[in-house]
Amino acid sequence: MDDEDFRQALAEVKRFVRSEVLPREAEIDEKDEIPEALRKQAAEMGLFGFAIPEEFGGLGLTMQQEEALVVELSYAAPAFRSMLGTNNGLAGQILVMAGSDEQKQYWLPRIASGEVIASFGLTEPDAGSDPSSLKTTARIDGDEFVLDGTKRWITNAPAAHLVMIFARVMNGDTDEGISVFAVPTDTPGFEVGPKDHKMGQAGSLTSEIYLTGVRIPASTRVGGDQGYRIAMSSVARGRLSVASICVGMMRRLLDESTEFAIGRRQGGSRIADYQLVQAMLAESATELYAAESMLSRAAKAFDDGTMQRTEPSMVKYYASEAVGRVADRAVQIHGGMGYMRGVAVERLYRDARLFRIYEGTSQIQQLIIGRGVVRAAEKAN
């Protein structure tokens, strides 16, 4: 998409999010679901396929365009962006990166249109940030695979038509490594558990998946025996997306804080005129600027092919930690109102906590960054 077309599309997404999604945030939080009308509008705007190549019916955005779009989508309740996220991100990109021509032609146009909701099935009860320890197996049986195992906290699983399942391939007693399989959810033996009840992010549906003797043809295997590499590549891109979400939420939190401080009077003066309130606004504005700058640089490096291994971790780590601090200050600026249900910053405070956990915890990001610093120093010497 050229720059002018993208500017127009971005302006329309901004209008849609602020005029259509924001007024329904309380409903999303209360009912723990995205209204069908919003889902249909998003599909009509092509938002289920903004990161899918144009040849498969998507918008084919660059990473720089994608992060700008996700920032605008994330000004509203993060559950709305989450509804679109796995189609464009972790699940859809597996097929874009490693799918066969047949797999791409069959799945990607329907993923891009929103006809098919795709999920990313990596996390397990004992395997989260480290996929090398996953226990789900794919046993070779002639020209088929038989899947057994459990996946946990799988986003959009209750609504999914397709799940990209990561499993350890077993040929008899021989472990042949990790592969990923495109598994339709109506396959016999595939069961989706009840939706999880989470601290925040209501409307973003997650649940466990149980695989019991799920028999699938060999043609569902994506990328051969490169499952671990595919998982790491998908997660790296996903970390930039998480950083984009955090930036969008930080913008919203700062706007809510500033507007409240201007409108709220205490002791005859606006609290926006008190220096300690201004100090909190200054800290939040500075952290937002830093996160925006890091994200912009990383997205450009992604598009240029110069992105270093540690960059997605650094951007995700900083942005996800910063949004928590900005959310905390927003509640503090609102005072007692900030602790009340139905007030935007109270909900966003709960929503923000998850970003330090998923797509690799902050501690995992620190390990990746730290090891990268050491390796770079050793290489330089």
Side-chain angles (χ1 to χ4, degrees):
M1 186 178 291
D2 65 38
D3 289 343
E4 180 56 33
D5 286 345
F6 178 69
R7 279 193 291 270
Q8 293 179 16
L10 191 64
E12 177 59 20
V13 168
K14 181 176 181 178
R15 182 209 63 77
F16 171 65
V17 167
R18 300 189 186 209
S19 65
E20 302 291 335
V21 183
L22 257 64
R24 306 193 73 171
E25 285 183 316
E27 177 187 349
I28 293 170
D29 190 49
E30 180 181 346
K31 295 184 178 180
D32 195 16
E33 64 183 22
I34 303 296
E36 181 62 17
L38 293 181
R39 194 202 71 78
K40 288 182 177 179
Q41 287 175 279
E44 290 169 359
M45 295 172 69
L47 295 179
F48 280 94
F50 59 75
I52 304 297
E54 289 181 278
E55 63 184 295
F56 301 111
L59 300 182
L61 301 185
T62 66
M63 180 54 73
Q64 293 173 85
Q65 293 172 336
E66 181 180 332
E67 60 90 1
L69 183 70
V70 172
V71 166
E72 288 298 343
L73 290 172
S74 303
Y75 194 83
F80 179 71
R81 195 283 330 168
S82 181
M83 176 185 68
L84 313 166
T86 50
N87 274 31
N88 286 289
L90 295 173
Q93 291 305 313
I94 287 175
L95 290 166
V96 172
M97 289 188 301
S100 66
D101 289 342
E102 182 180 357
Q103 289 168 336
K104 291 177 181 179
Q105 292 291 346
Y106 185 78
W107 288 114
L108 286 178
R110 292 191 288 162
I111 287 173
S113 70
E115 176 189 348
V116 165
I117 302 299
S119 288
F120 183 78
L122 178 62
T123 303
E124 297 181 1
D126 296 316
S129 298
D130 180 12
S132 65
S133 59
L134 65 82
K135 295 179 180 178
T136 296
T137 59
R139 179 170 50 84
I140 296 175
D141 186 9
D143 60 355
E144 295 182 318
F145 290 91
V146 181
L147 302 179
D148 289 282
T150 300
K151 298 295 181 179
R152 177 168 286 179
W153 301 317
I154 305 304
T155 300
N156 287 334
H161 306 93
L162 175 72
V163 181
M164 311 305 293
I165 295 289
F166 287 82
R168 191 171 298 282
V169 175
M170 301 300 297
N171 190 353
D173 293 331
T174 303
D175 182 345
E176 296 191 349
I178 296 170
S179 287
V180 58
F181 302 87
V183 185
T185 57
D186 60 0
T187 306
F190 191 109
E191 181 184 356
V192 177
K195 68 179 181 181
D196 299 321
H197 295 284
K198 306 183 295 295
M199 175 193 294
Q201 304 220 8
S204 174
L205 305 181
T206 65
S207 66
E208 291 195 343
I209 291 174
Y210 308 104
L211 306 160
T212 307
V214 175
R215 188 172 291 272
I216 52 175
S219 61
T220 61
R221 191 182 194 186
V222 181
D225 61 358
Q226 298 298 304
Y228 184 81
R229 180 189 63 79
I230 292 168
M232 292 298 94
S233 297
S234 299
V235 168
R237 184 186 181 111
R239 286 170 181 158
L240 293 182
S241 184
V242 170
S244 302
I245 301 166
C246 293
V247 167
M249 184 180 288
M250 290 164 73
R251 287 183 181 178
R252 173 73 179 287
L253 286 160
L254 183 58
D255 285 350
E256 294 282 347
S257 299
T258 306
E259 289 170 13
F260 182 85
I262 291 172
R264 174 68 168 162
R265 302 189 74 83
Q266 188 76 0
S269 301
R270 304 181 309 173
I271 67 169
D273 296 326
Y274 288 110
Q275 290 180 330
L276 291 180
V277 172
Q278 291 178 355
M280 287 189 283
L281 293 173
E283 287 181 295
S284 293
T286 302
E287 290 195 298
L288 170 59
Y289 183 79
E292 288 174 332
S293 301
M294 292 177 71
L295 179 60
S296 178
R297 176 174 170 174
K300 184 177 186 302
F302 184 98
D303 287 336
D304 293 344
T306 60
M307 190 173 71
Q308 302 298 308
R309 182 179 178 184
T310 56
E311 284 185 84
S313 290
M314 288 191 286
V315 180
K316 191 268 182 184
Y317 171 55
Y318 180 81
S320 63
E321 292 283 338
V323 72
R325 294 189 292 267
V326 172
D328 187 77
R329 292 188 202 106
V331 171
Q332 194 71 13
I333 289 168
H334 278 70
M337 287 300 298
Y339 202 66
M340 296 294 106
R341 288 294 175 105
V343 176
V345 297
E346 182 275 335
R347 183 184 65 253
L348 293 169
Y349 179 85
R350 288 183 284 114
D351 292 342
R353 186 60 181 87
L354 181 60
F355 296 120
R356 291 160 57 191
I357 298 172
Y358 77 169
E359 302 294 356
T361 64
S362 291
Q363 288 67 42
I364 288 294
Q365 308 310 325
Q366 288 175 316
L367 290 176
I368 293 170
I369 297 163
R371 289 168 183 167
V373 170
V374 172
R375 278 196 301 267
E378 291 173 338
K379 186 176 180 180
N381 294 327

